[in-house]
Amino acid sequence: VQLQASGGGTVQDGGSLRLSCAASGGSIRTYNMVWFRQAPGKEREFVAIVTWLGGSTAYTDSVKGRFTISRDNAKNTVYLQMNRLKPEDTAIYYCAARKAGGNEYNYWGQGTLVTVSS
């Protein structure tokens, strides 16, 4: 499975972006899908997860109420809707897939850069 993240760009403080993570070469239907981000000079951090059944989501505290993760298994794609963006959201965003019941991330996307200007 290959993951292709897209949708990044530069927006002003308070703006919105929607990231996409399109999978090819196999189905992500049985994978929990996760978004991570890595800001300049910082370690990679968890942002959001949507379970393989699609019914459960979880977010890091700093994005709760602003970001929404979703998936469309028919399109083999996961999304991250980011609203009310802040300069501290500036980072490279990565999507990853973890097989249901597994402990490791099986696949990673290449990352897409989000820059929020103040």
Side-chain angles (χ1 to χ4, degrees):
V1 174
Q2 293 82 45
L3 301 178
Q4 179 75 38
S6 62
T10 300
V11 296
Q12 290 189 332
D13 191 353
S16 298
L17 282 174
R18 189 177 80 155
L19 305 184
S20 298
C21 176
S24 61
S27 173
I28 58 170
R29 188 176 300 272
T30 58
Y31 289 83
N32 297 317
M33 298 300 296
V34 184
W35 284 98
F36 289 89
R37 66 185 180 187
Q38 187 165 18
K42 295 186 177 182
E43 294 190 352
R44 186 173 58 199
E45 66 169 345
F46 164 85
V47 176
I49 184 171
V50 58
T51 62
W52 70 281
L53 287 176
S56 295
T57 58
Y59 303 87
T60 191
D61 285 347
S62 62
V63 308
K64 284 180 181 177
R66 301 188 297 122
F67 290 12
T68 302
I69 189 171
S70 62
R71 67 190 299 159
D72 185 338
N73 286 336
K75 294 183 178 180
N76 225 21
T77 300
V78 178
Y79 305 97
L80 186 68
Q81 178 66 45
M82 306 186 295
N83 298 327
R84 304 200 312 273
L85 282 160
K86 304 175 182 180
E88 51 264 43
D89 294 318
T90 295
I92 299 174
Y93 284 71
Y94 300 89
C95 57
R98 189 178 75 206
K99 189 71 174 178
N103 295 319
E104 297 181 351
Y105 291 94
N106 305 92
Y107 307 105
W108 288 86
Q110 85 291 359
T112 185
L113 176 62
V114 172
T115 303
V116 184
S117 60
S118 56

